[in-house]
Amino acid sequence: MYPDAKTITEIMLSEIIRNYLSSTPSTTMGQDGLSLKEIERNAIITALQKYQGNITQTARQLGLTRFGLRKKLKHDSIKPADVTKR
């Protein structure tokens, strides 16, 4: 898709991620040193907080399946119960 790209830009992200990030004030986009993985992790945590740990609603908001979200939660060691306690 972008074979020579060394930097991921906003236009390279899916429309769902761009829309979510632009509507989420606590997620900084384009800040130097913030990796795509960190942006994704922040988006997941913010959505979990918004939906009080509800996996179905969080997944729907992020454009993921419940299974896909659970996989990301496990990979990133994010526990919905811990996130909603903040």
Side-chain angles (χ1 to χ4, degrees):
M1 194 157 146
Y2 301 97
D4 297 326
K6 293 183 181 180
T7 302
I8 296 173
T9 61
E10 182 179 348
I11 196 69
M12 293 175 181
L13 300 173
S14 75
E15 184 178 356
I16 291 171
I17 293 173
R18 285 195 313 267
N19 289 340
Y20 182 77
L21 292 175
S22 67
S23 70
T24 307
S26 65
T27 305
T28 54
M29 194 159 126
Q31 185 179 26
D32 291 339
L34 197 60
S35 71
L36 182 58
K37 191 67 184 164
E38 290 168 321
I39 292 170
E40 180 182 65
R41 188 175 202 287
N42 289 344
I44 290 170
I45 290 171
T46 301
L48 281 168
Q49 289 170 337
K50 179 179 179 178
Y51 294 107
Q52 301 171 339
N54 185 299
I55 299 296
T56 301
Q57 289 178 327
T58 300
R60 189 175 297 133
Q61 173 69 36
L62 296 171
L64 299 168
T65 63
R66 286 176 57 235
F67 177 76
L69 177 58
R70 287 207 176 273
K71 222 171 134 177
K72 289 179 182 294
L73 292 172
K74 184 176 181 179
H75 181 267
D76 291 344
S77 301
I78 300 171
K79 295 179 181 172
D82 292 344
V83 171
T84 57
K85 290 179 185 176
R86 291 182 180 181

Coordinates of all heavy atoms in Angstrom, one line a residue:
M1 N 0.8 -1.2 0.0 CA 0.0 0.0 0.0 C 0.9 1.3 0.0 O 0.7 2.1 -0.8 CB -0.9 0.0 1.2 CG -2.0 1.0 1.2 SD -3.3 0.3 2.3 CE -4.0 1.8 2.9
Y2 N 1.8 1.4 0.9 CA 2.7 2.5 1.0 C 4.1 1.9 1.2 O 4.7 2.0 2.3 CB 2.4 3.4 2.2 CG 1.0 4.0 2.1 CD1 0.0 3.4 2.8 CD2 0.8 5.1 1.3 CE1 -1.3 4.0 2.7 CE2 -0.5 5.7 1.2 CZ -1.5 5.1 2.0 OH -2.7 5.7 1.9
P3 N 4.7 1.3 0.2 CA 6.0 0.5 0.3 C 7.2 1.3 0.8 O 8.0 0.8 1.4 CB 6.2 -0.1 -1.0 CG 5.4 0.8 -2.0 CD 4.3 1.3 -1.2
D4 N 7.2 2.6 0.4 CA 8.4 3.4 0.8 C 8.2 4.3 2.0 O 9.0 5.0 2.4 CB 8.7 4.3 -0.4 CG 9.1 3.5 -1.6 OD1 9.8 2.4 -1.4 OD2 8.8 3.9 -2.7
A5 N 7.0 4.1 2.7 CA 6.7 4.9 3.8 C 7.5 4.5 5.1 O 7.5 3.3 5.4 CB 5.2 4.9 4.1
K6 N 8.2 5.5 5.7 CA 8.9 5.2 6.9 C 8.2 5.8 8.1 O 8.4 5.4 9.2 CB 10.3 5.8 6.8 CG 11.2 5.1 5.8 CD 12.6 5.6 5.8 CE 13.3 4.9 4.7 NZ 14.7 5.3 4.6
T7 N 7.2 6.6 7.9 CA 6.4 7.2 8.9 C 4.9 7.0 8.6 O 4.5 7.2 7.5 CB 6.7 8.8 9.0 OG1 8.0 9.0 9.2 CG2 5.9 9.4 10.1
I8 N 4.2 6.6 9.6 CA 2.8 6.4 9.4 C 2.1 7.7 9.6 O 2.3 8.4 10.7 CB 2.2 5.3 10.5 CG1 2.9 4.0 10.2 CG2 0.7 5.3 10.4 CD1 2.5 2.9 11.2
T9 N 1.3 8.1 8.6 CA 0.6 9.4 8.7 C -0.9 9.1 8.9 O -1.4 7.9 8.7 CB 0.8 10.2 7.5 OG1 0.2 9.5 6.3 CG2 2.2 10.5 7.2
E10 N -1.7 10.1 9.3 CA -3.1 10.0 9.5 C -3.8 9.3 8.4 O -4.7 8.5 8.5 CB -3.7 11.3 9.9 CG -5.2 11.3 10.2 CD -5.7 12.7 10.6 OE1 -4.9 13.6 10.8 OE2 -6.9 12.8 10.6
I11 N -3.5 9.7 7.2 CA -4.2 9.2 6.0 C -4.0 7.7 5.8 O -4.8 7.1 5.1 CB -3.7 10.0 4.7 CG1 -4.7 9.8 3.5 CG2 -2.3 9.7 4.3 CD1 -6.0 10.5 3.8
M12 N -3.0 7.2 6.4 CA -2.7 5.7 6.2 C -3.6 4.9 7.2 O -3.7 3.7 7.0 CB -1.2 5.4 6.5 CG -0.3 6.0 5.5 SD 1.4 5.7 6.0 CE 2.3 6.4 4.7
L13 N -4.2 5.5 8.2 CA -5.0 4.8 9.1 C -6.4 4.6 8.5 O -6.8 5.3 7.7 CB -5.1 5.6 10.4 CG -3.9 5.9 11.2 CD1 -4.1 6.9 12.3 CD2 -3.2 4.7 11.7
S14 N -7.1 3.6 9.0 CA -8.4 3.3 8.5 C -9.3 4.4 8.9 O -9.1 5.2 9.9 CB -8.9 2.0 9.1 OG -9.3 2.1 10.4
E15 N -10.4 4.6 8.1 CA -11.4 5.6 8.4 C -12.0 5.5 9.8 O -12.1 6.5 10.5 CB -12.5 5.6 7.4 CG -13.5 6.7 7.5 CD -14.6 6.7 6.5 OE1 -14.5 5.9 5.6 OE2 -15.4 7.6 6.6
I16 N -12.2 4.3 10.3 CA -12.8 4.1 11.6 C -11.8 4.6 12.7 O -12.2 5.4 13.6 CB -13.1 2.6 11.9 CG1 -14.3 2.2 11.0 CG2 -13.4 2.4 13.3 CD1 -14.5 0.7 10.9
I17 N -10.5 4.3 12.5 CA -9.6 4.8 13.5 C -9.4 6.3 13.5 O -9.4 7.0 14.5 CB -8.2 4.1 13.3 CG1 -8.3 2.6 13.7 CG2 -7.1 4.7 14.2 CD1 -7.1 1.8 13.3
R18 N -9.3 6.9 12.3 CA -9.2 8.3 12.1 C -10.4 9.0 12.8 O -10.3 10.0 13.5 CB -9.1 8.7 10.7 CG -7.8 8.5 10.0 CD -7.6 9.2 8.7 NE -8.7 9.1 7.8 CZ -8.8 8.2 6.8 NH1 -7.9 7.3 6.7 NH2 -9.9 8.2 6.0
N19 N -11.6 8.5 12.5 CA -12.8 9.1 13.1 C -12.8 9.0 14.6 O -13.2 10.0 15.3 CB -14.1 8.5 12.5 CG -14.3 8.9 11.1 OD1 -13.8 9.8 10.6 ND2 -15.1 8.1 10.4
Y20 N -12.4 7.9 15.1 CA -12.4 7.7 16.5 C -11.4 8.6 17.2 O -11.7 9.3 18.2 CB -12.1 6.2 16.9 CG -12.2 6.1 18.4 CD1 -13.4 6.0 19.1 CD2 -11.0 6.0 19.1 CE1 -13.4 5.9 20.5 CE2 -11.0 5.9 20.5 CZ -12.3 5.8 21.2 OH -12.3 5.7 22.5
L21 N -10.2 8.7 16.6 CA -9.2 9.5 17.2 C -9.5 10.9 17.2 O -9.2 11.7 18.1 CB -7.8 9.2 16.5 CG -7.2 7.8 16.8 CD1 -6.0 7.6 15.9 CD2 -6.9 7.6 18.2
S22 N -10.1 11.4 16.1 CA -10.5 12.8 16.0 C -11.6 13.2 17.0 O -11.7 14.3 17.3 CB -10.9 13.2 14.6 OG -12.1 12.5 14.2
S23 N -12.4 12.2 17.4 CA -13.5 12.5 18.4 C -13.1 12.3 19.8 O -13.9 12.4 20.7 CB -14.7 11.6 18.0 OG -14.5 10.3 18.3
T24 N -11.9 11.8 20.0 CA -11.4 11.5 21.4 C -10.4 12.5 21.8 O -9.2 12.5 21.4 CB -10.8 10.1 21.4 OG1 -11.7 9.2 20.8 CG2 -10.5 9.7 22.8
P25 N -10.7 13.5 22.7 CA -9.8 14.5 23.1 C -8.6 14.0 23.9 O -7.5 14.6 23.8 CB -10.7 15.4 24.0 CG -11.9 14.7 24.4 CD -12.0 13.6 23.3
S26 N -8.7 12.9 24.6 CA -7.6 12.4 25.4 C -6.5 11.7 24.6 O -5.5 11.3 25.1 CB -8.1 11.5 26.5 OG -8.6 10.4 26.0
T27 N -6.8 11.4 23.3 CA -5.8 10.7 22.5 C -5.1 11.7 21.6 O -5.7 12.4 20.8 CB -6.6 9.7 21.6 OG1 -7.3 8.8 22.4 CG2 -5.6 8.9 20.8
T28 N -3.8 11.7 21.8 CA -3.0 12.7 21.0 C -2.5 12.0 19.7 O -2.0 10.8 19.8 CB -1.8 13.2 21.8 OG1 -1.0 12.0 22.2 CG2 -2.2 14.0 22.9
M29 N -2.7 12.6 18.6 CA -2.3 12.0 17.3 C -1.3 12.9 16.7 O -1.4 14.2 16.7 CB -3.6 11.9 16.4 CG -3.3 11.0 15.3 SD -4.9 10.4 14.7 CE -4.7 10.9 13.0
G30 N -0.3 12.3 16.1 CA 0.7 13.1 15.4 C 1.8 13.6 16.4 O 2.7 14.3 16.0
Q31 N 1.7 13.3 17.6 CA 2.8 13.7 18.6 C 4.0 12.9 18.4 O 4.0 11.7 18.2 CB 2.2 13.5 20.0 CG 3.2 14.1 21.1 CD 2.6 13.9 22.4 OE1 1.8 13.0 22.7 NE2 3.0 14.7 23.4
D32 N 5.2 13.5 18.3 CA 6.4 12.8 18.1 C 6.6 11.8 19.2 O 6.4 12.0 20.4 CB 7.6 13.8 18.1 CG 7.6 14.7 16.8 OD1 6.9 14.3 15.8 OD2 8.2 15.7 16.9
G33 N 7.1 10.6 18.8 CA 7.4 9.6 19.8 C 6.2 8.7 20.1 O 6.4 7.7 20.8
L34 N 5.0 9.0 19.7 CA 3.9 8.1 20.0 C 3.7 7.1 18.8 O 3.5 7.5 17.7 CB 2.6 9.0 20.1 CG 1.4 8.4 20.8 CD1 1.8 8.0 22.2 CD2 0.3 9.4 20.8
S35 N 3.8 5.8 19.2 CA 3.7 4.8 18.1 C 2.3 4.5 17.8 O 1.4 4.8 18.6 CB 4.4 3.5 18.6 OG 3.7 2.9 19.6
L36 N 2.1 3.8 16.7 CA 0.7 3.4 16.3 C 0.1 2.5 17.4 O -1.1 2.6 17.7 CB 0.7 2.8 14.9 CG -0.6 2.3 14.4 CD1 -1.6 3.5 14.3 CD2 -0.5 1.7 13.1
K37 N 0.9 1.6 17.9 CA 0.5 0.7 19.0 C 0.0 1.5 20.2 O -1.0 1.1 20.8 CB 1.6 -0.3 19.3 CG 1.2 -1.4 20.2 CD 0.3 -2.3 19.4 CE -0.3 -3.4 20.3 NZ -1.4 -4.0 19.7
E38 N 0.8 2.6 20.6 CA 0.4 3.4 21.7 C -0.9 4.1 21.4 O -1.8 4.2 22.3 CB 1.5 4.3 22.1 CG 2.7 3.7 22.7 CD 3.9 4.6 22.7 OE1 4.1 5.4 21.8 OE2 4.6 4.5 23.7
I39 N -1.1 4.6 20.2 CA -2.3 5.3 19.8 C -3.5 4.3 19.9 O -4.6 4.6 20.5 CB -2.2 5.9 18.4 CG1 -1.2 7.0 18.4 CG2 -3.6 6.3 17.9 CD1 -0.9 7.5 17.0
E40 N -3.3 3.1 19.4 CA -4.3 2.1 19.5 C -4.7 1.7 20.9 O -5.9 1.6 21.3 CB -3.9 0.8 18.7 CG -4.9 -0.3 18.7 CD -4.4 -1.5 18.0 OE1 -3.4 -2.2 18.5 OE2 -5.0 -1.9 17.0
R41 N -3.7 1.5 21.7 CA -3.9 1.2 23.2 C -4.7 2.3 23.9 O -5.6 2.0 24.6 CB -2.5 1.0 23.8 CG -2.6 0.4 25.2 CD -1.2 0.1 25.8 NE -1.3 -0.8 26.9 CZ -1.7 -0.6 28.1 NH1 -2.1 0.6 28.4 NH2 -1.7 -1.5 29.0
N42 N -4.3 3.6 23.6 CA -5.0 4.7 24.2 C -6.5 4.7 23.7 O -7.4 5.0 24.5 CB -4.3 6.0 23.8 CG -3.0 6.2 24.5 OD1 -2.7 5.5 25.5 ND2 -2.2 7.1 24.0
A43 N -6.7 4.4 22.5 CA -8.1 4.4 21.9 C -8.9 3.3 22.6 O -10.1 3.6 23.0 CB -8.1 4.2 20.4
I44 N -8.3 2.2 22.8 CA -9.0 1.1 23.5 C -9.3 1.4 24.9 O -10.5 1.3 25.4 CB -8.2 -0.2 23.4 CG1 -8.1 -0.8 22.0 CG2 -8.8 -1.3 24.3 CD1 -7.1 -1.9 21.7
I45 N -8.4 2.0 25.6 CA -8.6 2.3 27.0 C -9.7 3.4 27.1 O -10.6 3.3 28.0 CB -7.3 2.7 27.7 CG1 -6.4 1.5 27.9 CG2 -7.5 3.4 29.0 CD1 -5.0 1.8 28.3
T46 N -9.6 4.4 26.3 CA -10.6 5.5 26.3 C -12.0 5.0 26.0 O -12.9 5.3 26.7 CB -10.2 6.6 25.3 OG1 -8.9 7.1 25.6 CG2 -11.2 7.7 25.3
A47 N -12.1 4.1 25.0 CA -13.4 3.5 24.7 C -13.9 2.6 25.9 O -15.1 2.6 26.2 CB -13.3 2.7 23.4
L48 N -13.0 1.8 26.5 CA -13.5 1.0 27.6 C -14.0 1.9 28.8 O -15.0 1.6 29.4 CB -12.3 0.2 28.1 CG -12.0 -1.1 27.3 CD1 -10.6 -1.7 27.7 CD2 -13.1 -2.1 27.5
Q49 N -13.3 3.0 29.0 CA -13.8 3.9 30.1 C -15.1 4.5 29.7 O -16.0 4.6 30.5 CB -12.7 5.0 30.3 CG -11.5 4.5 30.9 CD -10.3 5.6 30.9 OE1 -10.3 6.5 30.1 NE2 -9.4 5.4 31.8
K50 N -15.3 4.9 28.4 CA -16.5 5.5 28.0 C -17.7 4.5 28.2 O -18.8 4.9 28.6 CB -16.4 5.9 26.5 CG -17.6 6.5 25.9 CD -17.4 7.0 24.5 CE -18.7 7.6 23.9 NZ -18.4 8.0 22.5
Y51 N -17.4 3.3 27.8 CA -18.5 2.3 27.9 C -18.4 1.4 29.2 O -19.0 0.3 29.2 CB -18.5 1.4 26.6 CG -18.9 2.2 25.4 CD1 -17.9 2.6 24.5 CD2 -20.2 2.7 25.3 CE1 -18.2 3.4 23.4 CE2 -20.5 3.5 24.2 CZ -19.5 3.8 23.2 OH -19.9 4.6 22.2
Q52 N -17.7 1.9 30.2 CA -17.6 1.3 31.5 C -17.3 -0.2 31.4 O -17.8 -1.0 32.1 CB -18.9 1.5 32.3 CG -19.2 3.0 32.4 CD -20.6 3.2 33.0 OE1 -21.5 2.4 32.9 NE2 -20.8 4.4 33.5
G53 N -16.3 -0.5 30.6 CA -15.8 -1.9 30.5 C -16.6 -2.8 29.6 O -16.3 -4.0 29.5
N54 N -17.7 -2.3 29.0 CA -18.6 -3.2 28.2 C -17.8 -3.5 26.9 O -17.6 -2.6 26.0 CB -19.9 -2.4 27.9 CG -20.8 -3.3 27.1 OD1 -20.6 -3.8 26.0 ND2 -22.0 -3.5 27.7
I55 N -17.5 -4.8 26.7 CA -16.7 -5.3 25.6 C -17.5 -5.1 24.3 O -16.9 -4.7 23.3 CB -16.3 -6.7 25.8 CG1 -15.4 -6.9 27.0 CG2 -15.6 -7.3 24.5 CD1 -14.1 -6.2 27.0
T56 N -18.7 -5.4 24.2 CA -19.5 -5.4 23.0 C -19.6 -3.9 22.5 O -19.3 -3.7 21.3 CB -20.9 -5.9 23.2 OG1 -20.8 -7.3 23.7 CG2 -21.8 -5.9 22.0
Q57 N -19.9 -3.0 23.4 CA -20.0 -1.6 23.0 C -18.7 -1.0 22.6 O -18.6 -0.2 21.6 CB -20.7 -0.7 24.1 CG -22.1 -1.0 24.3 CD -22.7 -0.2 25.4 OE1 -22.1 0.1 26.4 NE2 -24.0 0.1 25.2
T58 N -17.7 -1.3 23.3 CA -16.3 -0.9 23.0 C -15.9 -1.4 21.6 O -15.3 -0.6 20.8 CB -15.3 -1.3 24.1 OG1 -15.7 -0.8 25.4 CG2 -13.9 -0.8 23.8
A59 N -16.0 -2.7 21.4 CA -15.7 -3.2 20.1 C -16.4 -2.6 19.0 O -15.8 -2.2 17.9 CB -15.9 -4.8 20.1
R60 N -17.7 -2.4 19.1 CA -18.5 -1.7 18.1 C -18.0 -0.3 17.8 O -17.9 0.1 16.7 CB -20.0 -1.7 18.5 CG -20.9 -1.3 17.5 CD -22.4 -1.3 17.9 NE -22.7 -2.7 18.2 CZ -23.4 -3.1 19.3 NH1 -23.8 -2.3 20.2 NH2 -23.7 -4.4 19.4
Q61 N -17.7 0.4 18.8 CA -17.2 1.8 18.7 C -15.9 1.8 17.9 O -15.6 2.7 17.1 CB -17.0 2.4 20.0 CG -16.3 3.8 20.0 CD -17.2 4.9 19.4 OE1 -18.4 4.9 19.6 NE2 -16.6 5.8 18.7
L62 N -15.0 0.8 18.2 CA -13.7 0.8 17.5 C -13.7 0.1 16.2 O -12.7 0.0 15.5 CB -12.7 0.1 18.5 CG -12.4 0.8 19.8 CD1 -11.6 -0.1 20.7 CD2 -11.7 2.1 19.5
G63 N -14.9 -0.5 15.8 CA -14.9 -1.2 14.5 C -14.3 -2.5 14.5 O -13.8 -3.0 13.5
L64 N -14.3 -3.2 15.7 CA -13.7 -4.5 15.9 C -14.8 -5.5 16.2 O -15.9 -5.1 16.7 CB -12.7 -4.5 17.0 CG -11.5 -3.6 16.9 CD1 -10.8 -3.5 18.2 CD2 -10.6 -4.1 15.8
T65 N -14.5 -6.8 16.1 CA -15.4 -7.8 16.7 C -15.1 -7.9 18.1 O -14.0 -7.5 18.6 CB -15.2 -9.2 16.0 OG1 -13.8 -9.6 16.2 CG2 -15.4 -9.1 14.5
R66 N -15.9 -8.6 18.9 CA -15.7 -8.8 20.3 C -14.4 -9.7 20.4 O -13.5 -9.4 21.3 CB -16.8 -9.5 21.0 CG -18.0 -8.5 21.2 CD -19.2 -9.2 21.8 NE -18.9 -9.9 23.1 CZ -19.1 -11.2 23.3 NH1 -19.7 -12.0 22.5 NH2 -18.8 -11.7 24.5
F67 N -14.3 -10.7 19.6 CA -13.1 -11.5 19.6 C -11.9 -10.7 19.3 O -10.8 -10.9 20.0 CB -13.3 -12.7 18.6 CG -12.1 -13.6 18.5 CD1 -11.8 -14.5 19.5 CD2 -11.2 -13.5 17.4 CE1 -10.7 -15.3 19.4 CE2 -10.1 -14.3 17.4 CZ -9.8 -15.2 18.4
G68 N -11.9 -9.9 18.3 CA -10.8 -9.1 17.9 C -10.3 -8.1 19.1 O -9.1 -8.0 19.3
L69 N -11.3 -7.5 19.7 CA -11.0 -6.7 20.9 C -10.4 -7.5 22.0 O -9.4 -7.1 22.6 CB -12.2 -5.9 21.4 CG -12.0 -5.1 22.6 CD1 -10.9 -4.0 22.4 CD2 -13.3 -4.4 23.0
R70 N -11.0 -8.6 22.3 CA -10.4 -9.5 23.4 C -9.0 -9.9 23.1 O -8.2 -9.9 24.0 CB -11.3 -10.7 23.6 CG -12.6 -10.4 24.2 CD -13.2 -11.6 25.0 NE -14.4 -11.2 25.7 CZ -14.4 -10.7 26.9 NH1 -13.3 -10.5 27.6 NH2 -15.5 -10.4 27.5
K71 N -8.7 -10.2 21.8 CA -7.3 -10.5 21.4 C -6.4 -9.4 21.7 O -5.3 -9.6 22.3 CB -7.3 -10.9 19.9 CG -6.5 -12.0 19.6 CD -6.8 -12.4 18.1 CE -5.5 -12.6 17.4 NZ -5.6 -13.0 16.1
K72 N -6.8 -8.2 21.4 CA -5.9 -7.0 21.6 C -5.8 -6.7 23.1 O -4.7 -6.4 23.6 CB -6.5 -5.8 20.9 CG -6.4 -5.8 19.4 CD -7.0 -4.6 18.8 CE -6.9 -4.7 17.3 NZ -5.6 -4.6 16.7
L73 N -6.9 -6.9 23.9 CA -6.8 -6.7 25.3 C -5.8 -7.7 25.9 O -5.0 -7.3 26.8 CB -8.2 -6.9 26.0 CG -9.2 -5.9 25.6 CD1 -10.6 -6.3 26.2 CD2 -8.8 -4.5 26.2
K74 N -5.8 -9.0 25.5 CA -4.9 -10.0 26.0 C -3.5 -9.6 25.6 O -2.6 -9.7 26.5 CB -5.3 -11.4 25.5 CG -4.5 -12.5 26.1 CD -5.0 -13.8 25.7 CE -4.1 -14.9 26.3 NZ -4.5 -16.3 25.9
H75 N -3.3 -9.3 24.4 CA -1.9 -9.0 23.9 C -1.3 -7.8 24.6 O -0.1 -7.8 24.9 CB -2.0 -8.7 22.4 CG -0.7 -8.4 21.8 ND1 -0.2 -7.1 21.7 CD2 0.3 -9.3 21.3 CE1 1.0 -7.2 21.1 NE2 1.3 -8.5 20.9
D76 N -2.1 -6.8 24.9 CA -1.6 -5.6 25.6 C -1.8 -5.6 27.1 O -1.5 -4.6 27.8 CB -2.4 -4.4 25.0 CG -2.0 -4.1 23.6 OD1 -1.0 -4.6 23.1 OD2 -2.7 -3.3 22.9
S77 N -2.3 -6.8 27.6 CA -2.5 -6.9 29.1 C -3.4 -5.8 29.7 O -3.1 -5.3 30.7 CB -1.1 -6.9 29.8 OG -0.3 -8.0 29.3
I78 N -4.4 -5.6 29.0 CA -5.4 -4.6 29.4 C -6.6 -5.3 30.0 O -7.2 -6.2 29.4 CB -5.9 -3.7 28.3 CG1 -4.8 -2.9 27.6 CG2 -7.0 -2.7 28.8 CD1 -5.2 -2.2 26.3
K79 N -6.9 -5.0 31.3 CA -8.1 -5.6 31.9 C -9.2 -4.6 32.1 O -9.0 -3.6 32.7 CB -7.7 -6.1 33.3 CG -6.6 -7.2 33.2 CD -6.2 -7.7 34.6 CE -5.2 -8.8 34.4 NZ -4.6 -9.2 35.7
P80 N -10.3 -4.8 31.4 CA -11.4 -3.9 31.5 C -11.8 -3.4 32.9 O -12.1 -2.2 33.1 CB -12.6 -4.6 30.8 CG -11.9 -5.6 29.9 CD -10.7 -6.0 30.6
A81 N -11.8 -4.3 33.8 CA -12.1 -3.9 35.2 C -11.1 -2.9 35.8 O -11.5 -2.0 36.5 CB -12.2 -5.2 36.1
D82 N -9.9 -3.1 35.4 CA -8.8 -2.2 35.9 C -9.0 -0.8 35.3 O -8.8 0.2 35.9 CB -7.4 -2.7 35.7 CG -7.1 -3.9 36.5 OD1 -7.8 -4.2 37.5 OD2 -6.2 -4.6 36.1
V83 N -9.3 -0.8 34.0 CA -9.5 0.5 33.3 C -10.6 1.3 33.8 O -10.5 2.5 33.9 CB -9.6 0.2 31.8 CG1 -10.0 1.5 31.0 CG2 -8.4 -0.4 31.2
T84 N -11.7 0.7 34.1 CA -12.9 1.4 34.6 C -12.8 1.9 36.0 O -13.6 2.8 36.4 CB -14.2 0.6 34.4 OG1 -14.0 -0.6 35.2 CG2 -14.5 0.2 33.0
K85 N -11.8 1.5 36.8 CA -11.6 2.0 38.1 C -10.9 3.3 38.2 O -10.8 4.0 39.2 CB -10.7 1.0 38.9 CG -11.4 -0.3 39.2 CD -10.5 -1.2 39.9 CE -11.1 -2.6 40.2 NZ -10.2 -3.5 40.8
R86 N -10.4 3.8 37.1 CA -9.6 5.1 37.0 C -10.5 6.2 37.3 O -11.5 6.4 37.0 CB -8.9 5.2 35.7 CG -7.8 4.2 35.5 CD -7.1 4.5 34.2 NE -6.0 3.5 34.1 CZ -5.2 3.4 33.1 NH1 -5.3 4.3 32.1 NH2 -4.3 2.5 33.0

